[in-house]
Amino acid sequence: MALITLSGLPCAGKSTRAQQIAAFLDQKIGAADYQGPISRVVVLSDHSLGLDRNSYADTKLEKPARGALFSAVQRQLSSDTILIVDSLNYIKGFRYQMYCAAREMKLRTSTVYVVAGPNQCRQWNLARPSHDAYSQDTLENLLIRFEEPSSMVRWDAPLFTIVWDDPDIPGSQIWEAATKGNLKPPNSGTLSPAKAPVDALHILEHTTAIIASAIASASNSQPTGGLMTVSVGQLSLPATLPPRNVTLSELQRLKRQFVTVHKKAITLGTTERGAVDWKEENVAKKFVDYVEAHLQP
């Protein structure tokens, strides 16, 4: 139903806010007057996935760690779930990647920016147990590399900002964004191309061969050209031919050109997303139009 991405400096209090948001949303889902499709709230974090904080100390370790997080996000995205991603999410490119994954699933998205100053984060990191703290070098590196969310970019919007000393969260606004916010269609670049049926090549070859023979026969019977009817089985198609005898050899040449062009749609998926219909009738009509457009007077 929705993806809520938390972002903020390390040790800014994101996990605390994630639990507050989850508790508020659970309460809304459990209310007697709620009859919507959402049935659960899931909080996904580095801790729940067993990702070591030391992963952020080395780019070679960080990349697979982010990959594991993204894979978990993809598994949890669902139309009956509000997924809260409680991680650093400090790279805008990674936030965009999760945003695209949610849009592909036709889910709503929002971002919660937990704000705390660098000095405050340093103090909180020092106060943590050693096994749960960042090393000093890693912390300073992450503070420098942090890419702040912005409400001006689509993958961070709507953006809710919570300052570290705010006693409350904007729960009602987050709930509104998760249940009634704008539902954007998937990016065209993320859509899987429509595949042609397994017998598409046979239909293409067989239908165009029959049509070529039918047009040659019709031309022989009406060498003056003009509008005539090409009959193939139970199918009758109007065709306008030039005022001369159209030979079978030139029709076969046009057939080969037509088949070559449309083979790409079969092998690559489609060259006209959603517009290729591989029924015999449609292929026949397209080939007749192609012949009309390419036959010389």
Side-chain angles (χ1 to χ4, degrees), residues 11-292:
C11 304
K14 295 183 294 299
S15 295
T16 299
R17 298 302 186 178
Q19 295 303 321
Q20 287 178 310
I21 294 169
F24 181 89
L25 297 177
D26 275 328
Q27 185 178 18
K28 296 290 287 187
I29 294 171
D33 59 345
Y34 178 68
Q35 303 296 325
I38 305 174
S39 61
R40 61 178 187 148
V41 177
V42 175
V43 178
L44 201 60
S45 67
D46 292 350
H47 178 73
S48 67
L49 295 174
L51 300 179
D52 196 326
R53 296 190 186 278
N54 290 325
S55 300
Y56 295 99
D58 187 340
T59 54
K60 292 181 179 179
L61 296 175
E62 183 179 353
K63 186 175 181 180
R66 273 208 311 272
L69 175 61
F70 182 67
S71 295
V73 168
Q74 289 180 302
R75 288 194 299 270
Q76 293 291 346
L77 288 174
S78 172
S79 59
D80 67 347
T81 302
I82 295 180
L83 177 61
I84 302 172
V85 183
D86 170 26
S87 184
L88 286 176
N89 300 322
Y90 69 98
I91 299 174
K92 61 184 178 182
F94 185 63
R95 297 197 297 270
Y96 176 71
Q97 190 177 8
M98 291 191 291
Y99 162 82
C100 288
R103 281 186 62 178
E104 190 173 354
M105 294 284 294
K106 299 181 180 180
L107 307 180
R108 295 178 174 88
T109 63
S110 61
T111 304
V112 176
Y113 179 22
V114 182
V115 180
N119 288 333
Q120 184 70 64
C121 293
R122 292 185 182 100
Q123 292 177 19
W124 283 340
N125 187 58
L126 289 173
R128 286 182 171 184
S130 58
H131 68 274
D132 198 31
Y134 295 94
S135 69
Q136 191 63 32
D137 289 342
T138 301
L139 179 66
E140 295 300 327
N141 186 31
L142 290 172
L143 293 176
I144 293 171
R145 293 167 59 196
F146 179 69
E147 297 175 343
E148 184 176 331
S150 170
S151 60
M152 301 299 291
V153 297
R154 61 188 183 278
W155 57 86
D156 287 335
L159 178 64
F160 304 101
T161 301
I162 306 175
V163 180
W164 69 272
D165 58 353
D166 283 345
D168 299 313
I169 60 169
S172 297
Q173 295 170 270
I174 294 173
W175 172 254
E176 189 81 7
T179 56
K180 300 179 182 179
N182 292 333
L183 192 57
K184 299 178 182 179
N187 286 331
S188 59
T190 65
L191 293 174
S192 299
K195 295 296 183 182
V198 293
D199 61 344
L201 184 58
H202 171 74
I203 292 173
L204 183 64
E205 290 277 3
H206 180 70
T207 304
T208 51
I210 293 176
I211 292 294
S213 297
I215 292 176
S217 177
S219 178
N220 288 333
S221 63
Q222 188 177 326
T224 56
L227 182 64
M228 60 186 67
T229 300
V230 178
S231 297
V232 182
Q234 298 180 349
L235 184 63
S236 295
L237 299 172
T240 302
L241 301 180
R244 63 177 178 83
N245 185 33
V246 179
T247 65
L248 182 59
S249 61
E250 62 181 317
L251 287 168
Q252 288 176 337
R253 175 177 55 81
L254 292 175
K255 169 190 172 294
R256 287 194 298 270
Q257 294 173 353
F258 182 84
V259 169
T260 299
V261 170
H262 286 77
K263 270 185 178 180
K264 293 180 180 179
I266 297 173
T267 56
L268 299 180
T270 175
T271 56
E272 309 168 75
R273 188 185 300 278
V276 174
D277 185 348
W278 295 103
K279 293 180 181 177
E280 291 184 7
E281 180 179 354
N282 189 65
V283 171
K285 288 178 179 178
K286 283 192 172 187
F287 182 53
V288 169
D289 292 342
Y290 184 85
V291 169
E292 288 180 336

